[in-house]
Amino acid sequence: SQTIHQWPATLVQPVGSPLSLECTVEGTSNPNLYWYRQAAGRGLQLLFYSVGIGQISSEVPQNLSASRPQDRQFILSSKKLLLSDSGFYLCAWRDTGDNTIYFGEGSWLTVV
Amino acid sequence: GNSVTQMEGPVTLSEEAFLTINCTYTATGYPSLFWYVQYPGEGLQLLLKATKADDKGSNKGFEATYRKETTSFHLEKGSVQVSDSAVYFCALFTAAGNKLTFGGGTRVLVKP
């Protein structure tokens, strides 16, 4: 069966520091992968999605970037964090058989 | 573009009460429809889904029917429990968009 993992689960970073969140999927090949953000008390915003290695689509211009160095690995990065980057970040993958999207456990980021 | 509208919360109920959360959508093409649940401090879990008109998704006592004529996908549960306290998100997926579009989420609080 397929599983998705992301880490770290929680992190507190100072303003101006870099960020790297990692997500991996097991049990499937060539998945579509997604990064969503959920700001406190707000809904879910799609940040990036990827249909294959090295292929990244950005939904919202911002301080973040994404990369897909391997088929089942998706990384969210920032060179310099802003206070407004705080939130709950969710990685997800799509089952292309029935278009169901499954989410990881999430990563809580607090920028101080 | 695609959009999802769901009733705002919070919804406060007593245990064993009937729960309805309204969800309507606007989409081009033929979307798949989903309900996700987010328990406190956790990621999103798929609750149920429906991929075509008149399909009924069901899971854990929750049900929702894909109504194309009213563009709706209302979530219902006949008898809620305290453990159903969570935030519920309605969402749609279209192949053309290749992403989930979420409603704003509805917080449900069930009191004993």
Side-chain angles (χ1 to χ4, degrees), chain A residues 7 21-25 31 33 35 50 52-54 56 67-75 91:
Chain A
W7 66 92
L21 299 179
E22 188 165 341
C23 171
T24 59
V25 180
L33 297 172
W35 279 110
S50 171
I53 296 174
I56 308 295
S67 61
R68 186 167 176 177
Q70 300 181 42
D71 181 45
R72 290 171 288 176
Q73 184 184 31
F74 203 24
I75 298 172
C91 182

Side-chain angles (χ1 to χ4, degrees), chain A residues 37-51:
Chain A
R37 177 171 62 196
Q38 186 178 31
R42 299 178 66 179
L44 290 133
Q45 179 186 40
L46 177 64
L47 302 176
F48 302 95
Y49 71 91
S50 171
V51 300

